[in-house]
Amino acid sequence: MTGTYVDAVKDHSAAVLAVISEAYVAATVEGRVVQWNPAAEATFGWSREQAIGGDVARLIIPERHRDMYREALRRIAGGDPGRLLERRLQFTALHRDGHELPVETTLTVTGEIVHALARDVSATLRGSRFTVVEAAVLRGLAEATSSDDAAVRVVGALGVRMGWPVSELWLFDADRQMMTCIARHNRAGRDLTGFALAEMEPHAGLPGAVYRDGRAHWIPDVAAAPSSPRRRAAARIGLRAAVGAPIRSGSQVLGALCVFGDRAEPSDATLISLLSGLAAHVGQYLERRRAEELAIDLARTKDEFLTMVTHELRNPLAVILGTVALLDDDLEPAERHDHLRIIGSSAERLSTMADDLLDLARLESGSLEIHPADLDLAGLLHDSIATARIAAGTKDLTVRADLPFRLPLCGDPDRLRQVADNLIGNAVKYTPEGGTITVTAAADAARPGWVSWTVADTGIGIPAGERSRLFRRFYRASTAVAAKIPGTGLGLVVTRTIIERHHGTIAVADTAGPGTTFVVRLPRSG
Ligand code: ADP
């Protein structure tokens, strides 16, 4: 009878140990494993067959803690367990794949055997740490001086306080139709070559998927995800699980907040909702900030418009009126001729300004049309240079051209000529006597199917800090204003729009020293 009863209890105990969610590990006081249930297999990664008979310290204790652990077993064996038994203890355990995990455990001793029931508490700890992160993020957003600064603070808080090796904030750049990484935190200073991309196609990778679907995505293992463009780099760096949550402004998705962990992990609904909550804070912040920046921008544009009108409209008008007043019948023919020439050039300035304003109006209404045709960019640039040589000659400027014999391209000949005239005309206008202007164009060595074209001068230059504002309506650099060179600050706005309608780009090269270099890149196919 008794035997049957004991056997039945044993069977039940085994059945219970097989189904409980806590890992059950039993070991001798010398540290040899004698029991290992399925939850222990899942928690620590070793199968029962691999674990039984093994050294428990080697299996589940990180190397740096093993001596301490063995010392604890010795104390238990010596009958002096101190405060180790029957209490909930927290310690850091080791998984078979090398990652560490926080576990909560209770130890019991029966005879020569130490029994441990352990539970992985990563998710619980993560939840409570998230509350701290949320507070840090909100504080960071309140203290941020700009959207970029805010982005840096958010990814920093996620990395430092949550322990994610890499966290990123991506926003969709409507001008360039690309996802752009605004801020990235690399917690452990890993070499992120191949992973730390500055931009990605709007539908590529985790940021693209989150942006496209407007919902959170969880990738259990980036290194194994076939659709991930960064999977090879991720595998090399040791980045595995990835989570991204959408950043929204109202119903519009602005971008994605993404974090990368260093082990593969199945989807965790709590973490997704916590990250989504943070992303929502960021979205609200960006919405507020954009409204403020827009208001500041409008006020600035208004100021710059008024400055432009006062100078550029009033000056030539004053010259015309003043000179007309001097025209009387007693003037010598030569003097009369001079006066008429002055009136003519002021009228020309007004006419250029009217053209620029008309182009701007077309641009704003979206009716600046492009009529593409096959053209030769080298010939177009030669023609533009020939026209500019007349003005350049009066200032004793040297104009150099480094152009191929032909450079075929599909584009709008009139509009691209307007771009060339503006860039070369500006180079002439902003370069003092005796300077040099160099125009080059060639197939872009770095980008097959593209041409790159530059206009460089040795003139008054544009201060580096002002270059980002250059393509804004009515903006004039301090160097141009100080040199009292007339202009409307509209040519480059129109120029950039024309180039973008050709799917190309324009930028001021980061060159040191005096002068300015504009670089235009255009796809050959238009
Ligand atoms: P504008 O020349 O009529 O003022 P643009 O839009 O063509 O208008 O140029 C905007 C501003 O950019 C100019 O006012 C000037 O400050 C600066 N800029 C453009 N090209 C040059 C250049 N080659 N060298 C120095 N400054 C330049």
Side-chain angles (χ1 to χ4, degrees), residues 422 426-427 429-430 457 460-462 470 475-477 480 487-493 516 518:
N422 184 40
N426 273 352
K429 188 162 82 170
Y430 295 109
D457 63 55
I460 60 172
I462 300 161
L470 218 53
Y475 186 78
R476 307 210 60 223
T488 57
L490 285 176
L492 285 181
V493 183
T516 307
F518 281 93

Coordinates of all heavy atoms in Angstrom, one line a residue, residues 422 426-427 429-430 457 460-462 470 475-477 480 487-493 516 518, ligand 1:
N422 N 21.7 81.1 -63.6 CA 21.7 81.6 -62.2 C 23.0 81.3 -61.5 O 23.5 82.1 -60.8 CB 20.5 81.0 -61.5 CG 20.3 81.6 -60.1 OD1 20.5 82.8 -59.9 ND2 20.0 80.7 -59.2
N426 N 25.5 84.1 -60.6 CA 25.8 84.4 -59.2 C 27.3 84.4 -59.0 O 27.9 85.2 -58.2 CB 25.2 83.3 -58.3 CG 23.8 83.6 -57.9 OD1 23.3 84.7 -58.2 ND2 23.1 82.7 -57.2
A427 N 28.0 83.4 -59.6 CA 29.5 83.3 -59.4 C 30.1 84.6 -59.9 O 31.0 85.2 -59.2 CB 30.0 82.1 -60.2
K429 N 28.6 87.5 -60.1 CA 28.1 88.6 -59.3 C 28.8 88.7 -57.9 O 29.2 89.8 -57.4 CB 26.6 88.5 -59.1 CG 25.9 89.6 -58.4 CD 24.4 89.5 -58.6 CE 23.7 88.6 -57.7 NZ 22.3 88.7 -57.7
Y430 N 29.1 87.5 -57.3 CA 29.6 87.5 -56.0 C 31.2 87.3 -56.0 O 31.7 86.9 -54.9 CB 28.9 86.4 -55.1 CG 27.5 86.7 -54.9 CD1 26.5 86.0 -55.5 CD2 27.1 87.8 -54.1 CE1 25.1 86.3 -55.4 CE2 25.8 88.1 -53.9 CZ 24.8 87.4 -54.6 OH 23.5 87.7 -54.4
D457 N 33.7 79.4 -57.5 CA 34.3 80.7 -57.7 C 35.2 81.0 -56.5 O 35.3 80.3 -55.5 CB 33.2 81.8 -57.8 CG 32.3 81.9 -56.5 OD1 32.9 82.1 -55.5 OD2 31.1 81.7 -56.7
I460 N 33.2 86.0 -52.6 CA 33.0 86.4 -51.2 C 32.6 85.3 -50.2 O 32.6 85.4 -49.0 CB 32.0 87.6 -51.0 CG1 30.6 87.1 -51.6 CG2 32.4 88.8 -51.8 CD1 29.5 88.1 -51.3
G461 N 32.1 84.2 -50.8 CA 31.8 83.0 -50.0 C 30.5 83.1 -49.3 O 29.9 84.2 -49.2
I462 N 30.1 82.0 -48.7 CA 28.9 81.9 -47.9 C 29.3 81.3 -46.5 O 29.8 80.2 -46.5 CB 27.8 81.1 -48.5 CG1 27.4 81.7 -49.9 CG2 26.6 81.0 -47.6 CD1 26.7 80.7 -50.8
L470 N 20.2 78.8 -47.3 CA 20.4 79.4 -48.6 C 19.3 79.2 -49.6 O 19.0 80.0 -50.4 CB 21.6 78.7 -49.2 CG 22.6 79.6 -50.0 CD1 22.9 80.8 -49.2 CD2 23.8 78.8 -50.4
Y475 N 16.1 84.6 -48.8 CA 17.3 84.6 -47.9 C 18.5 85.1 -48.6 O 18.8 84.6 -49.7 CB 17.6 83.2 -47.3 CG 18.7 83.2 -46.3 CD1 18.4 83.7 -45.0 CD2 20.0 82.9 -46.7 CE1 19.5 83.8 -44.1 CE2 21.0 83.1 -45.8 CZ 20.8 83.5 -44.5 OH 21.8 83.7 -43.6
R476 N 19.3 86.0 -48.0 CA 20.5 86.5 -48.6 C 21.6 86.4 -47.5 O 21.4 86.7 -46.4 CB 20.4 88.0 -49.0 CG 19.2 88.2 -49.9 CD 19.4 89.3 -50.9 NE 20.5 89.1 -51.7 CZ 21.4 90.1 -52.0 NH1 21.3 91.3 -51.5 NH2 22.4 89.8 -52.8
A477 N 22.7 85.8 -47.9 CA 23.8 85.6 -47.0 C 24.4 86.9 -46.5 O 24.3 87.9 -47.2 CB 24.9 84.7 -47.6
A480 N 26.8 88.7 -48.7 CA 26.2 89.5 -49.9 C 25.7 90.8 -49.4 O 25.8 91.8 -50.0 CB 25.2 88.6 -50.6
G487 N 20.4 91.8 -55.0 CA 19.9 90.4 -55.2 C 18.5 90.3 -54.5 O 18.2 91.1 -53.6
T488 N 17.8 89.2 -54.9 CA 16.4 89.0 -54.3 C 16.3 87.8 -53.4 O 15.4 87.7 -52.7 CB 15.4 88.8 -55.5 OG1 15.8 87.7 -56.2 CG2 15.3 90.0 -56.3
G489 N 17.3 87.0 -53.5 CA 17.3 85.7 -52.7 C 16.2 84.8 -53.2 O 15.6 84.0 -52.5
L490 N 15.9 84.9 -54.5 CA 14.9 84.0 -55.1 C 15.5 83.0 -56.1 O 14.9 81.9 -56.3 CB 13.8 84.8 -55.8 CG 12.9 85.6 -54.9 CD1 11.9 86.4 -55.7 CD2 12.1 84.6 -54.1
G491 N 16.6 83.4 -56.7 CA 17.2 82.6 -57.8 C 17.4 81.1 -57.3 O 17.1 80.2 -58.0
L492 N 18.0 80.9 -56.2 CA 18.4 79.6 -55.7 C 17.1 78.8 -55.4 O 17.2 77.5 -55.5 CB 19.3 79.6 -54.5 CG 20.8 80.0 -54.8 CD1 21.6 80.0 -53.6 CD2 21.4 79.1 -55.8
V493 N 16.1 79.4 -54.9 CA 14.8 78.7 -54.6 C 14.3 78.1 -55.9 O 13.9 76.9 -55.9 CB 13.8 79.7 -54.0 CG1 12.5 78.9 -53.6 CG2 14.4 80.4 -52.8
T516 N 32.9 79.9 -53.3 CA 31.8 79.0 -53.1 C 31.8 78.0 -54.3 O 32.2 78.3 -55.4 CB 30.5 79.9 -53.2 OG1 30.6 80.9 -52.3 CG2 29.2 79.1 -52.9
F518 N 29.0 75.3 -55.9 CA 27.7 74.6 -56.0 C 27.9 73.3 -56.8 O 28.6 73.2 -57.8 CB 26.7 75.5 -56.7 CG 26.1 76.5 -55.8 CD1 26.7 77.8 -55.8 CD2 25.1 76.3 -55.0 CE1 26.2 78.8 -54.9 CE2 24.5 77.3 -54.1 CZ 25.1 78.5 -54.1
Ligands
ADP1 P1 20.3 86.6 -55.2 O1 21.6 86.4 -55.8 O2 19.4 87.3 -56.1 O3 20.3 87.3 -53.9 P2 20.0 83.8 -55.1 O4 18.8 83.0 -54.6 O5 20.5 83.4 -56.4 O6 19.6 85.3 -55.0 O7 21.1 83.6 -54.0 C1 20.7 83.7 -52.6 C2 21.9 84.1 -51.8 O8 22.9 83.1 -51.8 C3 22.6 85.3 -52.3 O9 21.9 86.5 -51.9 C4 24.0 85.2 -51.8 O10 24.0 85.6 -50.4 C5 24.2 83.7 -51.8 N1 25.0 83.3 -53.0 C6 24.5 82.6 -54.0 N2 25.5 82.3 -54.9 C7 26.6 82.8 -54.3 C8 28.0 82.8 -54.7 N3 28.5 82.2 -55.8 N4 28.9 83.3 -53.8 C9 28.5 83.9 -52.7 N5 27.2 83.9 -52.3 C10 26.3 83.4 -53.1

